[in-house]
Amino acid sequence: MAAQTLPSSEALLARILSSLDSDKAEELVQIDLRGRTAIGDYMVIASGRSSRQVSAMAEKLVDRLKQEFGVIAKVEGKDTGDWVLIDTGDVIVHLFRPEVREFYQLEKMWLPQGAATA
């Protein structure tokens, strides 16, 4: 069996964004982390209208990444659907219900001062 080459972080990011867009994610924000932290190259933050939608978007995204790239992502929070964290290695994805996203305000922590959030 040939060794599979891992996708670039940019290819992974593009697929994550298209997956979330096709699943009707709202307020999609991408943050470039390169040179700022070792946790990953990019962070994606998005909202779903309900815990059911958040969980479904997470499940579909993880399945697509596994099928298309062979990437096994670590997932936390899918059962409750309030805040789902998906760690692909290079791209960290946070999916929230709107109220939970508003409470934690991750964008404020990671975006440069004065940057637009949407």
Side-chain angles (χ1 to χ4, degrees):
M1 190 160 134
Q4 183 170 356
T5 58
L6 293 175
S8 69
S9 55
E10 289 76 18
L12 209 51
L13 175 67
R15 187 57 184 113
I16 288 167
L17 294 174
S18 69
S19 175
L20 294 175
D21 186 57
S22 68
D23 290 336
K24 308 287 188 253
E26 299 177 349
E27 298 183 53
L28 205 55
V29 174
Q30 75 179 60
I31 302 168
D32 190 337
L33 299 176
R34 293 171 298 179
R36 296 175 60 195
T37 179
I39 65 169
D41 290 343
Y42 298 98
M43 181 180 294
V44 174
I45 303 171
S47 298
R49 291 178 301 282
S50 66
S51 55
R52 177 175 279 188
Q53 184 192 14
V54 169
S55 293
M57 286 190 305
E59 195 165 314
K60 287 181 182 177
L61 175 60
V62 169
D63 286 346
R64 288 170 179 147
L65 295 177
K66 184 177 180 184
Q67 296 298 321
E68 295 172 30
F69 296 119
V71 170
I72 307 297
K74 297 180 194 81
V75 182
E76 293 186 27
K78 191 168 67 76
D79 293 340
T80 58
D82 289 333
W83 176 1
V84 180
L85 170 68
I86 303 165
D87 183 353
T88 70
D90 289 334
V91 182
I92 311 296
V93 181
H94 297 275
L95 302 176
F96 289 102
R97 278 190 311 106
E99 309 80 50
V100 179
R101 183 176 180 172
E102 179 64 30
F103 180 80
Y104 287 103
Q105 298 188 358
L106 281 185
E107 291 96 323
K108 285 194 173 162
M109 188 185 321
W110 289 101
L111 283 172
Q113 286 301 110
T117 58

